[in-house]
Structures are given as structure tokens and as C-alpha cells.
Amino acid sequence: MATRTLEARFEHMSVNDPSDGSRFQKSKPSQLAHSTSRPNLFKVALQSQKSNTVTATVTLPSQAAQWKGSTAQANAPPTSPSKREKLAAAAAAAARSSDELAVVEQRPQPPSYVDQPLTPKQFHLGMFEIGRPLGKGKFGRVYLARERSTGFVCALKTLYKAELQSCRAEGQVRREVEIQSNLRHPNILKLYGHFHDSKRIFLILEFAGKGELYKHLRRENRFPEWKAAQYIAQCAAALRYLHRKHVIHRDIKPENILLGIHGEIKIADFGWSVHAPSRRRQTLCGTLDYLPPEMIVRTGKDGSYNEKVDLWSLGVLTYEFLVGEAPFEDTKAMTERRIARADMTIPSFVSPEARDLIKRLLVLDPEKRLPLEDVEQHPWILKHCVKGSRTGKPEQKSRRDGN
Ligand code: AMP
């Protein structure tokens, strides 16, 4: 029922780009406050957490300790010691390593909460227990958090209003909130809601247990082909969903991709994304290494571009996963020149199938890039992805085929 309601909301989704005249007023940050028009999202969040973990719920082994000692907890009223002890005991029992997620026995969800009729949910900081910091962004920190009444684990992103204003980044946040909160896909990071106080804006995000993909890539230097193929298949599925909703991400790169607890792709950072029903945009944005030629040299008629920009970025991503660096990495001027000519060299250790996919995506003419449906059916993807499951490890054979 909640899913249907969301789908229905989708049909009427209207996401405005601030550059086109946003619905949010710059001088009224309160309009970014409680999204009472989305009363059912928290229920959906609960249900999705329930259904994703049918027999188990996840918690951090180190989470309980962090709950006890966290300085950030000063922001919120304390939890009862018995509850903390229970959590600590469950967590300790499941602990494998201090940083890894462990699966512990499911704590029963309060059915009355989940089943209650849709009521507007007003979020505020006191509703959350704040855990360890998960990372630091440009405008604030991200914390592991847990909604007190339900135990729902999420990531709470804090953004300082003053910093947003001084960097004129309010538009970016509005875009992120408006677009991301309307998206529901297993490979797209969910935004459950938002609220604010006098100084900060808080985004309630899905917790991506394995953190930044970029860090994994740096640690491993480059991914084996089976892993790269599974990641690319998931990215393609997420992008196909976005494009169906007329959303262009425009900033696909490893830094903007997180990994869920099962190692699945979670596309995040919709700060540069745009809802473009006309499918043609004219703003220059994104990161140079991942920018397509049409956004650098403005080859398109009237200098515009469309959702095919994300296909180019997917090609760059495929290359970087397999090689360990982006294909056009160079000085700024040289990168631009090389992108404009699609001038790249694919090392010989890359398999012929992967090489074929990269070449079909990094095509100068946007209209000739391999469509996403065909990416998902490409021989390299099919070889490494078990049908119906694109997050698991490969069969022994494909793992040996690896690099
Ligand atoms: P951001 O401000 O979005 O760039 O986030 C800063 C850092 O916090 C990221 O680089 C991640 O390491 C971490 N982070 C952000 N969001 C999440 C999330 N939903 N789950 C886990 N870690 C996150």
C-alpha cells in the first residue's frame, strides 16, 4: 500500500532545477524543514529495512560502544542503560571485527508503529541516537544514527546552513533533497526525510554499511573483472531507473558511489543531478575526468546535452574500475583535449569483452553510445553476473578468470 502510494507520488513528481526557478526560496530555509507532504516515507523506510533483512537485522559490533562514548550524543537525550546493555551484548556476541558489520538476531519491530495508519512524521534530532561519525563532507559530517522508537539504523548527514550559504550551495542541497527523496531503487541511496534546526539541515539517509566505493578501489588498486562487471551492471540498472524518471545524474564517479552491507552499489550524491523532462540541459557541471565531450566542447545543437552524458561516465567508470585510474587523467588542458577526441589507451590486461564495452560507451557521438539496456545484456556483463543476482561472488570459474 505504501509502495503504491509512493509510486503514485512518483507519477506526479515535479522536481525543479533551481536554475530554472526553484520552488524553494533562498531566504526561507524553513521551507527545507519537515517534509510533511511525505508522511509515508518513514513507514516505507521501516518496511524496506524489514523486508531487506527478512531474518536478521544489522548493527555494528562497535556501535554499542560508540553509543556509550559518543560525544555527538550530547545532542540527544540518553538511552536507558538496559537498552544500551542489551544492544552491547547483542553486538559483542556478533562482533567479528571492530569496523565490519555483523548480523545479529533480529530485534522485533513494534508492529503497531509499522501498521499504524499514515500520519505525518515530523522528524527532529531528539528522535535519534547518534553513533560514530561515518565521514566528513564539504558542508558537515555524516553520523551513524538510530531512530529511538523503532531501532531503525540510518545515516544522518548534517549540513551547516552558514557554510551552504557562503558557498552558494543551497541549490545543490535542494536538488539532492527533491530528487533523492523521490527515488526508490536498490542501487540508489535512499533519502528518508529531512529536518533542520537553527544552524543545520539534517538529511536522513539509508546507511551504506561498506562505505565509499572509492576507498575500496584505492585499497585494491583495481577491481577484478567479475567485481567490476557486477558493479557496472548495478550502476547501469540504477541509471536506467533514473533516466526513466527523467533524472540525469551528471556526476557519476567512484567518490559518489557507496556500498551497502552486502557490497551492493548505492549511487549517492545527487547534488549535480537534474530532473530534465525535456531531456536536454545546458549547464556545465560535474568533474572533469568524467565529463563527456559534449559538455566540454559543447558539440550538441545549441550547446545542450541529454541523459547520454551518464553513459559516457559509465564508460569512464568501467575503465577506472579495471585499470585503477580514469582514461583521460592528465593536466587540465590535456584532459579536455583528450576527452574531446576520446583519446585513450586500454591496457592489454583488460579482457576483449570489457574493452569492447568501454569502447561502445566512450563514443564521441552521444546518440551512438550503447544504450543502458544493451549494457545490461553485454557479453562481459552476462559472463560475470549470475542472472537475478548481481551482488554475489562469482562461481569459482569466473573468479579464476578474474583479471
Ligand atoms: P558526503 O558529505 O555525502 O560527501 O559524505 C561524507 C562521507 O560520509 C562520505 O565520503 C562517506 O564516507 C560517508 N557517508 C555519507 N553518506 C553515507 C551513508 N549514507 N552511509 C555511510 N556512509 C556515508
Side-chain angles (χ1 to χ4, degrees), residues 134-137 142 155 157 189 205-208 212 258:
L134 295 171
K136 194 173 178 307
V142 182
K157 183 168 175 174
L189 193 79
L205 292 161
E206 178 180 6
F207 171 52
E212 258 178 78
L258 298 169

Side-chain angles (χ1 to χ4, degrees), residues 149-338:
S149 65
T150 58
F152 187 84
V153 174
C154 58
L156 206 58
K157 183 168 175 174
T158 59
L159 302 159
Y160 283 87
K161 290 178 182 176
E163 285 175 39
L164 290 174
Q165 270 160 4
S166 68
C167 295
R168 295 170 182 266
E170 303 104 309
Q172 225 171 302
V173 175
R174 283 182 204 120
R175 260 197 296 262
E176 195 167 347
V177 168
E178 286 215 324
I179 293 178
Q180 210 172 339
S181 59
N182 280 295
L183 301 172
R184 285 287 174 275
H185 187 276
N187 299 117
I188 295 174
L189 193 79
K190 290 179 187 66
L191 174 63
Y192 297 120
H194 58 275
F195 57 93
H196 72 124
D197 64 16
S198 60
K199 294 203 174 97
R200 295 163 294 184
I201 294 168
F202 298 89
L203 305 186
I204 309 165
L205 292 161
E206 178 180 6
F207 171 52
K210 289 199 171 149
E212 258 178 78
L213 178 66
Y214 183 74
K215 286 188 185 149
H216 291 262
L217 183 58
R218 288 286 72 90
R219 200 176 305 139
E220 294 184 44
N221 188 27
R222 55 192 164 92
F223 295 136
E225 295 221 352
W226 64 265
K227 196 186 270 190
Q230 294 192 358
Y231 286 159
I232 293 300
Q234 292 167 49
C235 288
L239 286 175
R240 197 144 72 91
Y241 170 85
L242 286 179
H243 293 178
R244 262 207 322 272
K245 303 286 175 202
H246 307 296
V247 172
I248 313 174
H249 189 285
R250 302 197 294 184
D251 201 16
I252 294 292
K253 54 181 177 178
E255 294 88 325
N256 290 342
I257 298 174
L258 298 169
L259 291 178
I261 48 164
H262 306 295
E264 73 279 25
I265 291 284
K266 297 281 176 187
I267 292 187
D269 214 329
F270 283 75
W272 280 121
S273 64
V274 69
H275 183 232
S278 72
R279 298 172 72 229
R280 297 208 77 85
R281 300 285 318 153
Q282 289 180 305
T283 329
L284 181 65
C285 60
T287 315
L288 200 55
D289 275 323
Y290 279 77
L291 278 188
E294 65 269 31
M295 283 176 77
I296 285 184
V297 292
R298 301 304 186 104
T299 47
K301 293 178 219 121
D302 62 19
S304 61
Y305 55 86
N306 59 18
E307 81 285 356
K308 305 268 188 326
V309 296
D310 288 337
L311 292 177
W312 177 276
S313 308
L314 192 64
V316 178
L317 202 62
T318 311
Y319 184 107
E320 186 167 354
F321 284 173
L322 293 169
V323 180
E325 58 187 43
F328 309 108
E329 258 182 56
D330 215 316
T331 60
K332 186 174 177 288
M334 278 307 290
T335 296
E336 282 187 14
R337 205 175 301 170
R338 290 180 56 195

